[in-house]
Amino acid sequence: MYGRVKAWAKRHWPRLRLRTILFATLFLVAALPGFGAVFLRVYENTLVRQTEAELVAQGAALAAAAAADWPGATGGALYPQRIVPPGDGVDLSLTPILPERPAPAPAAPVAADAAAAAPRLAPVLRATQMTTLASILLLDRQSRIVAGNGRRGGYATLPEVAAALRGTPTTVLRRNRAYRAVYSFEWLSRAAAIRVHHARPIVVDGRVVGVLLLSRSARALFRGLYADRGKIAIGIAAIFALLVLLSGVISRGITRPIERLGQATRAVASGRGSVPEVPATAAIEIQGLYADFAVMTAAIERRSRYLRDFAYAVSHEFKTPLAGIRGAIELLQDHPDMAAGDRHRFLANADADADRLALLVTRLLELARADMAAPADDAVDPVPVVARIADACRGDAFAIDVRWDTPPPRVALPAATIENALATLFDNARQAGARSVCVAGSVGERVALHVTDDGPGIAAGDRLRLFEPFFTTRRTTGGTGLGLAIARSLLEAGGGTIDLVEGDRTRFVVTLPVAP
């Protein structure tokens, strides 16, 4: 099921610009408090609790006044001996909403003390009611109505009254049948059609002699929003202005730099552009992306130039032996009666050219494999590897001396790569006329092999081209100019290097990465 829904969403997902996504995200985050106020009833719950607090305060003051003026009161303490903090209060999400308060049930005549207190308390209740707009009823200790709305009867069945007669002030929420909607979206408000009812006991000399029953409609959410419309409008305008400002900052820090980088990518792909300068306002990650893209572009350019030069060199190297083979074939075709000696000489030249082509193809394949080689995970001890290739390349007139200043750690290169690089250097030294080679190994952040021979050295004009494919000074003796290029590619594929050191003598430095 989840997979089908995900596939459907992918098929119908709209194509959105980054600006649109960012602005929509900011707008949604800014609107979350408003949605919470309406749908999570945060603001509305605050209004209901405010109404409850007002009823509690009125009830406490009126109960204290009634206790002081109650017939038979001895003038004892009218308040608790210790501070009693209010409870958590009502909650729209947790407090159940009870049915509307029923009509009072018929009851016996009120208690004598309550009837005597009613004339003195009724004006106070009436004056309070005219100011606070709350409904206030005075009940005796049997829950019978003494004063308030002119009705007679009792509320013995109401749970809040029963709790107050036991000495516990209680607040409940009840439905309001008289409510009529005024605003279009008032159906969203849960508090619009309810009344808050608070029952407060009147305690005289430690006993409950009566109950004050107060009720009032809570301040409606949309009425409160309308009353605070000026403040809300200012808040919305400020939030929208902040959103516009943040959108501008994000646009300069993310959107515009990405768009410019996309344009540069298309220009570079067409071969007519370059990476623009890093925008100063771009985010750090975007600036890093610009730097990485510049490095990638430079690498692609170097690779493209290398491929162009390589293709030119390949065509040049193949042209000479192919021309020789074709010339020999044409001569043999034009002169079928050619002397046997001449025929043998032309066929020998064609065979030599074919051998050179075969050698070039083989070395090109080795170079391609070297360029495509992946880094090795094996750790190799370089000491036996260097010793083995040195023993294999030594001869009667060619000495190789290997020295280590300290035992080296294992290196993260295949043994074949190290052997290939050293064998190429040893063979080049022998071909150049050297009679001895010294391999000095040193250990630092990397393992370095300093390969020095006693040959005539390399001409200054040849040093810069030494690692170019097909560059060789021994073309007449079969050199292909690919040995050092292959060695460098193999070493670089594994994280190593090979470089020529400036000086009168021929000295190469081969560095090998230390295995972790």
Side-chain angles (χ1 to χ4, degrees):
M1 179 65 181
Y2 173 76
R4 291 197 298 270
V5 173
K6 186 177 180 181
W8 180 88
K10 286 183 177 180
R11 289 194 306 270
H12 296 83
W13 191 263
R15 296 184 62 189
L16 301 174
R17 296 182 65 86
L18 182 59
R19 299 173 188 269
T20 305
I21 296 175
L22 293 175
F23 184 81
T25 302
L26 291 175
F27 184 81
L28 180 61
V29 171
L32 282 179
F35 286 114
V38 175
F39 294 102
L40 300 181
R41 300 186 176 93
V42 177
Y43 181 55
E44 191 174 32
N45 204 48
T46 302
L47 296 177
V48 172
R49 289 190 173 185
Q50 180 182 353
T51 302
E52 178 193 12
E54 294 173 357
L55 293 179
V56 170
Q58 295 173 37
L62 292 175
D69 204 22
W70 200 266
T74 60
L78 303 179
Y79 52 86
Q81 298 301 315
R82 59 185 179 85
I83 296 177
V84 181
D88 294 335
V90 295
D91 191 297
L92 284 176
S93 301
L94 302 176
T95 303
I97 298 178
L98 304 178
E100 185 179 17
R101 187 169 70 186
V110 300
D113 56 345
R120 295 193 296 271
L121 294 177
V124 178
L125 301 181
R126 180 64 178 170
T128 303
Q129 185 176 2
M130 294 297 293
T131 302
T132 63
L133 303 180
S135 172
I136 306 175
L137 299 179
L138 174 63
L139 311 180
D140 66 4
R141 57 179 172 272
Q142 300 298 326
S143 71
R144 293 170 295 217
I145 299 176
V146 178
N149 57 6
R151 305 178 68 178
R152 292 293 179 263
Y155 284 116
T157 59
L158 298 184
E160 62 268 29
V161 174
L165 290 174
R166 292 192 299 269
T168 304
T170 305
T171 303
V172 298
L173 301 177
R174 290 187 176 275
R175 299 193 181 280
N176 183 11
R177 186 186 304 172
Y179 166 75
R180 296 293 182 271
V182 178
Y183 303 97
S184 301
F185 294 95
E186 212 159 346
W187 58 272
L188 293 171
S189 173
R190 192 183 183 193
I194 66 172
R195 286 179 70 87
V196 182
H197 294 254
H198 179 71
R200 168 72 58 169
I202 301 174
V203 182
V204 176
D205 298 331
R207 62 189 181 91
V208 178
V209 298
V211 173
L212 284 172
L213 186 58
L214 304 92
S215 66
R216 180 183 168 185
S217 297
R219 188 183 183 195
L221 172 65
F222 289 94
R223 186 176 301 172
L225 293 177
Y226 180 78
D228 295 334
R229 61 188 182 276
K231 299 177 183 177
I232 294 175
I234 294 175
I236 292 176
I239 291 175
F240 189 79
L242 182 60
L243 284 178
V244 173
L245 178 62
L246 289 177
S247 298
V249 173
I250 292 176
S251 177
R252 288 188 172 274
I254 299 177
T255 308
R256 289 186 181 179
I258 290 179
E259 289 178 349
R260 290 184 59 191
L261 189 58
Q263 295 172 358
T265 302
R266 292 186 291 272
V268 170
S270 64
R272 297 190 303 271
S274 60
V275 182
E277 294 185 1
V278 181
T281 57
I284 295 176
E285 293 78 6
I286 303 297
Q287 294 182 1
L289 184 61
Y290 268 74
D292 294 340
F293 188 78
V295 172
M296 182 190 69
T297 303
I300 292 174
E301 177 61 27
R302 286 196 303 270
R303 194 66 177 174
S304 299
R305 188 165 53 251
Y306 170 79
L307 290 176
R308 289 194 300 267
D309 296 342
F310 187 78
Y312 172 78
V314 167
S315 63
H316 177 74
E317 291 294 326
F318 276 46
K319 186 182 298 183
T320 301
L322 284 174
I325 294 174
R326 175 170 291 181
I329 293 174
E330 290 178 353
L331 285 173
L332 291 173
Q333 289 176 343
D334 293 341
H335 303 280
D337 55 348
M338 182 182 297
D342 293 336
R343 178 183 298 273
H344 178 73
R345 179 164 53 85
F346 286 125
L347 288 175
N349 291 338
D351 184 63
D353 289 333
D355 288 341
R356 178 168 178 77
L357 283 177
L359 178 61
L360 286 172
V361 170
T362 301
R363 299 297 278 171
L364 285 174
L365 289 175
E366 293 176 356
L367 180 60
R369 293 191 187 100
D371 284 341
M372 298 296 293
D377 296 330
D378 298 335
V380 176
D381 185 357
V383 174
V385 176
V386 175
R388 183 168 60 248
I389 191 63
D391 290 341
C393 293
R394 285 191 182 99
D396 294 337
F398 189 71
I400 299 177
D401 181 28
V402 179
R403 297 194 299 265
W404 292 94
D405 60 357
T406 184
R410 301 176 76 85
V411 297
L413 272 177
T417 298
I418 303 173
E419 292 176 355
N420 176 277
L422 293 179
T424 299
L425 294 178
F426 295 159
D427 185 62
N428 287 349
R430 181 189 289 110
Q431 295 292 337
R435 296 194 175 187
S436 66
V437 176
C438 176
V439 180
S442 62
V443 179
E445 294 183 359
R446 290 171 165 247
V447 175
L449 301 176
H450 301 263
V451 183
T452 308
D453 64 50
D454 61 353
I458 301 173
D462 296 338
R463 287 178 172 268
L464 296 178
R465 304 184 57 193
L466 200 60
F467 292 97
E468 291 183 8
F470 302 109
F471 175 75
T472 178
T473 58
R474 297 186 291 105
R475 191 176 306 277
T476 57
T477 59
T480 61
L482 293 173
L484 288 176
I486 293 173
R488 168 171 279 186
S489 295
L490 287 172
L491 287 169
E492 289 181 348
T497 61
I498 179 171
D499 294 292
L500 177 65
V501 180
E502 293 290 338
D504 296 335
R505 304 179 67 183
T506 302
R507 176 181 297 178
F508 289 88
V509 177
V510 179
T511 63
L512 313 175
V514 176

